[in-house]
Amino acid sequence: MVTSSQKIPLGHTLSTGHISTVPTPITSAQPVRVVTHNHGDSTTELTIVPLTVAGPCQTMATSNAQKIQYRSLNEAIHDDMSQPDFDPRILEFEPISHSGSAKSVPSAPLLIPLHRSAVYTDSPSKPPPSYSLRTRSALLGKQPLASGFEIPYWRKIFLHTALCLVSYPILLAVTLVARNKSIFWTRFIVGVGCGLVGLGLGYSLLTLAKSHLEAATWATVIHQSRFDDSPGVRLKDLAATTENSTSAWTALRLLWNRTMHPATARRSRQDYDQRPWSLFIAFFLLLVLVAGTLPFILGRLINIDSNLIHQRERYEEISIKGDNSDTDVARASQLKPTFEDFALTWTMAPFSTHGGLPPVVSFSWGSDNIYFSETIMSQLLANGSGFGTFDTETTDPSLNLSPSVSFDNGPEEVLPGSVLRFSKWGIRIRCAKLPDPDVNLVPMSSNGMSYLFTPRAVLASLFSSFGVDYPESSMVPFDIAKVVQPGDAISTALNMSDIALGAAFYNNGVGHSFFSRPVSMGADGKGWISIEEVLVRLNTSYTPNGTFARKSDQSIPDAQGNPTWIGYDAAICVELFEPWIVEVYNSTTGLPSTLRIVEPGNVVRSQDTPEIQEELIGLPLSVTDPDVHQQLNSSKLADVYESAHGNSVNQILKDNGRDAYYVPSPTVVSYTEGEGPLGYMELSAPYFAQARGLADASNILPYFSGTGDILARQYQDLVLSNTSINPLFMGIYLGLIFLLGLLAGFFVPRLPLNVPHRGFEVYSWIAAFHADELMEIGGMSGIEKNLELHEIAQQVGDVRFRYIDTNMRKESKI
């Protein structure tokens, strides 16, 4: 045995128990190599002078020694039982010079062990490789945080850091690309982007985490190899644990194995390893969980909001209830005499349900305000209708106007969330004050009548403002005998040739009275034109701030006997009922609403621009349903107009303070700039035009839509997305991923007994089986060629292997 301060002379070999000498001729000198190792209070000094070996090394026989041959000094010192702590792998070799120095020798003796573990080969010109931690630290750096852990894999840590740094910009770019697209494509782009970023970060995490599972697996093998009762591990158990180094199931299987096997308990290994290996396995499981949920969490941290965008490029042709059917017209004809009877003053619906009529909307077109009745939801149903059925039961309670109307899946279903473009009747109205009231207005005749005379010049000016030709019917000479009752006197200054028409009003005590004369009854199909006149008569005791064109010639005493007068004023209007192309939005959350006027006319056309070209989807409605009206036409709706017009006038007349004494009403006050019961000021032509337009739009226009079908274009909304990153939570989450990666990279535990790191890659298995680190227990029969994998598993799966470290190898050789 080699002892302290003992030299090995030239040509000697080492054997267990003593030193035997084999002389070998020296051909040339080489430098003497001295190795000193401190061990406790003694020092081992080995001096070796390489010699040239003329032939294979010889071993001398002794009586009490097991003769062993060695390839190198490393193997010799491994078997030196007096130096259990000496690691020969720390020996450093200098290149052997082949110069012609007097001290050099051409070669050294070879020490060859006889057992199968002799894998070290040395030549005089090439020193053996070193796998010590000290050499690795010198090459790759040292563990910067703790000595009980492996040297960090810096390349993997740098890669993980770079991936964390570029993840946020990549996700930000993904959100920019995914914006303003459909929900499907936005989700697809965000999913792909988050999936790729999550794949990269997850791969980096799993790469760093794999070392923890590998270390725990090899630690388990070492622990079970040192178990006295049943040492080692079965090959099939080792294969099951190492077949997938990034699987959570593998980690759970290993954790269960460590929990159930007594060799891995802390008390069984407390003399050589006390590290909490189950905690490292749990950390690996955490990393696997985080890596697996990365794409999902990243996707949740990107906000996707939907925006409804009205588009005007792709449309379908559908039908809605926007016209009067023949049945509706017939009912209107039956009601016409009722509305012409002034004694009845009949209205279409009771006043209690008048608030249920559709609201009025108005839009500016040029210098005019165009008034429309809002579309109701019942018009957009396949079996619905508008108010224009002229059925006495057609009131708000009988028409389901609730926004919760269910939509049937029909071929012409009007889907919510779309823009509808169709033709609709609208109103334009302009008014002017009666000029020269002393001549053209007779307050009270001898027969108790009031007269209005309308000059042609006023009507011509109003028609001209609309761009409409003056009607020929108004150019015929005025016949005063048809208006003025016998015995009533008029002003001598009245020039009959300048008068277009006149109107007579009874002295009935009503604050406002109306006279209408149709100019066009819609025979040309383009709508209706009428001349509307209003005469305001109010007792001055109720109009303290009122201004009138004329007052009565005689006073009327009030309740206190104070004299009061009747104030008179008048205005003339021209009102046009015309078709307009409008767009109505059919919302998913409320009632339909009119968006805008597209153009005047009764034919729906494409509004093509250089940027937008409209395209029909499917077949035109003229092919699929020829009975649907393609446009509005007033030629057959004269009775509908008359009945609806009478309904509107009677609704206005019902808003009276009382039918006597000429007291004001809210409607009359709305003709002026004033407000309140005594707020009447002066009749204003623009205010009266607005009030009359709103009243007729509310009481006439709804009845132009009954059960008749009319063509409409449906432009389905585009649901586009808006994407954004939640910067706070995204920063926190990426920071957490970065921190987990650092923990996984810096704190890989060393194996027990200072065993070098081993993994599941090919090189680790070469070291394990070819260097006899894993040795079978009881022997293993040979494996034939061309066997299937399952056959190999059946044949050698139950063979047990045991990890053999340096101390175990010494014990086995003794």
Side-chain angles (χ1 to χ4, degrees):
M1 183 175 296
V2 180
T3 59
S4 301
S5 302
Q6 187 174 5
K7 296 185 178 180
I8 303 177
L10 296 176
H12 283 70
T13 61
L14 300 179
S15 63
T16 304
H18 71 280
I19 301 176
S20 62
T21 304
V22 178
T24 306
I26 302 176
T27 59
S28 60
Q30 283 194 0
V32 176
R33 192 180 309 275
V34 179
V35 180
T36 302
H37 177 62
N38 294 325
H39 179 69
D41 298 333
S42 63
T43 300
T44 300
E45 182 178 291
L46 303 177
T47 304
I48 302 175
V49 178
L51 301 176
T52 301
V53 181
C57 294
Q58 302 295 326
T59 305
M60 296 184 63
T62 59
S63 60
N64 59 347
Q66 178 183 357
K67 296 186 286 288
I68 303 176
Q69 292 181 333
Y70 300 93
R71 289 184 184 274
S72 66
L73 176 63
N74 294 358
E75 288 293 332
I77 298 179
H78 265 303
D79 277 357
D80 184 6
M81 300 303 293
S82 66
Q83 312 292 331
D85 296 332
F86 181 69
D87 188 354
R89 292 174 295 178
I90 66 173
L91 296 176
E92 298 180 358
F93 295 87
E94 298 177 357
I96 300 176
S97 174
H98 294 278
S99 63
S101 173
K103 297 182 180 180
S104 64
V105 291
S107 60
L110 297 177
L111 306 177
I112 306 173
L114 298 178
H115 53 77
R116 290 189 305 164
S117 62
V119 296
Y120 298 98
T121 60
D122 290 316
S123 65
S125 61
K126 185 176 181 181
S130 174
Y131 297 95
S132 65
L133 293 174
R134 184 176 303 174
T135 304
R136 185 179 175 191
S137 298
L139 295 176
L140 302 177
K142 298 181 179 180
Q143 167 58 253
L145 300 178
S147 60
F149 297 91
E150 294 284 350
I151 297 173
Y153 290 88
W154 294 106
R155 181 178 299 177
K156 297 179 181 179
I157 294 176
F158 291 153
L159 175 62
H160 182 74
T161 302
L163 288 175
C164 290
L165 289 177
V166 301
S167 293
Y168 193 94
I170 292 176
L171 292 174
L172 184 60
V174 169
T175 60
L176 295 178
V177 173
R179 285 180 183 173
N180 296 326
K181 292 180 173 58
S182 65
I183 292 295
F184 171 80
W185 286 112
T186 296
R187 289 175 176 169
F188 178 79
I189 294 173
V190 171
V192 170
C194 293
L196 292 177
V197 173
L199 178 64
L201 291 176
Y203 173 78
S204 177
L205 275 181
L206 291 178
T207 302
L208 293 169
K210 182 177 66 173
S211 299
H212 292 260
L213 182 63
E214 293 172 343
T217 301
W218 281 100
T220 303
V221 173
I222 294 173
H223 295 161
Q224 294 182 5
S225 297
R226 297 179 66 88
F227 190 58
D228 295 334
D229 292 343
S230 179
V233 59
R234 291 185 303 177
L235 182 59
K236 63 181 180 181
D237 294 334
L238 183 61
T241 306
T242 59
E243 65 182 1
N244 192 344
S245 60
T246 58
S247 171
W249 173 249
T250 301
L252 291 172
R253 183 189 182 98
L254 179 61
L255 187 62
W256 174 260
N257 188 15
R258 292 191 60 85
T259 303
M260 302 304 296
H261 202 286
T264 57
R266 188 75 61 89
R267 62 179 177 273
S268 300
R269 53 184 174 89
Q270 60 183 356
D271 56 337
Y272 67 95
D273 186 17
Q274 296 185 4
R275 276 170 290 188
W277 290 99
S278 297
L279 183 61
F280 293 111
I281 299 175
F283 181 64
F284 172 82
L285 289 172
L286 173 63
L287 294 178
V288 171
L289 176 63
V290 172
T293 58
L294 266 169
F296 176 78
I297 299 299
L298 292 176
R300 303 290 75 75
L301 294 178
I302 295 181
N303 300 321
I304 301 178
D305 300 322
S306 61
N307 297 324
L308 286 178
I309 305 298
H310 302 326
Q311 58 90 18
R312 305 294 195 281
E313 297 183 18
R314 298 167 60 86
Y315 68 89
E316 298 176 274
E317 289 189 351
I318 62 172
S319 63
I320 64 172
K321 304 300 181 180
D323 203 353
N324 296 102
S325 63
D326 294 339
T327 303
D328 301 334
V329 175
R331 290 199 186 102
S333 300
Q334 296 174 2
L335 287 175
K336 188 172 74 169
T338 302
F339 290 106
E340 292 176 350
D341 189 349
F342 180 76
L344 290 175
T345 315
W346 189 256
T347 54
M348 202 74 67
F351 202 77
S352 59
T353 62
H354 187 259
L357 291 173
V360 176
V361 293
S362 65
F363 297 92
S364 297
W365 186 265
S367 58
D368 293 315
N369 285 329
I370 316 300
Y371 299 94
F372 298 96
S373 174
E374 187 60 273
T375 304
I376 62 175
M377 184 170 289
S378 179
Q379 293 179 244
L380 307 182
L381 300 177
N383 297 319
S385 69
F387 279 86
T389 60
F390 292 93
D391 187 346
T392 55
E393 300 299 327
T394 305
T395 59
D396 178 39
S398 63
L399 287 177
N400 192 350
L401 305 181
S402 171
S404 60
V405 174
S406 60
F407 288 84
D408 298 328
N409 294 324
E412 296 180 359
E413 174 190 4
V414 180
L415 298 175
S418 60
V419 175
L420 304 178
R421 182 185 296 175
F422 56 94
S423 57
K424 193 174 188 177
W425 295 108
I427 293 175
R428 284 193 296 168
I429 183 171
R430 290 188 178 183
C431 302
K433 290 286 293 291
L434 181 69
D436 198 3
D438 292 335
V439 176
N440 297 319
L441 192 154
V442 178
M444 182 72 69
S445 68
S446 58
N447 290 323
M449 301 291 292
S450 297
Y451 295 101
L452 287 182
F453 300 99
T454 304
R456 285 194 174 90
V458 176
L459 292 179
S461 175
L462 291 175
F463 277 99
S464 176
S465 66
F466 286 123
V468 178
D469 295 335
Y470 188 74
E472 296 181 359
S473 59
S474 298
M475 299 178 65
V476 298
F478 174 65
D479 186 0
I480 192 173
K482 294 182 179 180
V483 177
V484 179
Q485 293 186 5
D488 288 341
I490 58 175
S491 174
T492 57
L494 185 64
N495 188 355
M496 296 301 171
S497 61
D498 296 335
I499 301 301
L501 56 89
F505 300 91
Y506 291 99
N507 184 18
N508 55 8
V510 178
H512 54 166
S513 301
F514 299 96
F515 174 80
S516 299
R517 179 179 176 180
V519 176
S520 171
M521 290 301 294
D524 57 356
K526 298 180 180 180
W528 303 268
I529 302 175
S530 66
I531 300 173
E532 305 290 338
E533 294 184 339
V534 60
L535 175 63
V536 175
R537 294 176 289 185
L538 295 176
N539 193 305
T540 57
S541 61
Y542 302 107
T543 59
N545 300 316
T547 301
F548 298 93
R550 289 194 65 174
K551 291 184 179 180
S552 59
D553 297 332
Q554 298 179 353
S555 63
I556 302 174
D558 60 10
Q560 287 77 28
N562 298 321
T564 60
W565 287 265
I566 304 299
Y568 295 85
D569 213 339
I572 303 99
C573 304
V574 173
E575 188 174 26
L576 280 64
F577 294 82
E578 304 165 305
W580 296 80
I581 305 300
V582 298
E583 288 183 347
V584 175
Y585 182 61
N586 185 20
S587 173
T588 60
T589 57
L591 296 172
S593 59
T594 304
L595 297 178
R596 67 183 182 115
I597 297 175
V598 177
E599 61 180 345
N602 60 354
V603 178
V604 182
R605 303 183 305 169
S606 296
Q607 305 296 314
D608 293 335
T609 64
E611 295 79 17
I612 298 177
Q613 301 292 323
E614 297 191 17
E615 176 186 359
L616 172 64
I617 302 174
L619 296 175
L621 198 62
S622 58
V623 175
T624 59
D625 194 349
D627 295 333
V628 175
H629 298 166
Q630 298 293 312
Q631 61 187 24
L632 290 178
N633 192 315
S634 61
S635 59
K636 297 181 180 180
L637 303 180
D639 292 341
V640 173
Y641 169 76
E642 290 191 40
S643 296
H645 184 275
N647 173 72
S648 179
V649 172
N650 292 342
Q651 286 284 7
I652 299 173
L653 290 176
K654 283 184 176 182
D655 186 18
N656 288 312
R658 55 190 301 177
D659 289 344
Y661 306 117
Y662 296 110
V663 298
S665 66
T667 302
V668 175
V669 176
S670 69
Y671 302 159
T672 71
E673 297 180 357
E675 58 183 13
L678 303 179
Y680 182 91
M681 298 180 67
E682 183 180 7
L683 178 64
S684 169
Y687 278 98
F688 175 71
Q690 178 181 353
R692 184 60 189 265
L694 291 171
D696 288 347
S698 178
N699 298 304
I700 297 178
L701 295 184
Y703 300 98
F704 287 144
S705 298
T707 57
D709 293 322
I710 192 171
L711 169 70
R713 289 187 178 185
Q714 177 181 339
Y715 301 81
Q716 197 69 38
D717 282 348
L718 294 178
V719 183
L720 301 183
S721 63
N722 182 28
T723 56
S724 61
I725 293 179
N726 190 320
L728 176 61
F729 291 106
M730 183 65 76
I732 293 174
Y733 186 64
L734 292 178
L736 178 62
I737 300 302
F738 174 68
L739 179 60
L740 288 175
L742 292 184
L743 293 176
F746 279 107
F747 297 100
V748 178
R750 288 183 181 177
L751 295 180
L753 304 174
N754 206 24
V755 173
H757 176 75
R758 293 292 181 262
F760 299 156
E761 67 278 357
V762 174
Y763 299 109
S764 295
W765 297 122
I766 290 177
F769 292 107
H770 197 53
D772 289 342
E773 291 180 351
L774 283 181
M775 299 185 64
E776 68 273 14
I777 301 174
M780 180 176 65
S781 60
I783 301 176
E784 298 178 0
K785 291 184 178 181
N786 301 324
L787 291 179
E788 296 292 341
L789 291 179
H790 68 276
E791 295 175 342
I792 297 175
Q794 292 176 358
Q795 184 172 343
V796 299
D798 292 327
V799 176
R800 303 185 71 86
F801 283 82
R802 183 181 183 187
Y803 188 88
I804 305 298
D805 63 356
T806 301
N807 293 331
M808 293 179 182
R809 185 177 291 114
K810 295 173 183 177
E811 296 171 359
S812 64
K813 291 177 180 178
I814 291 175

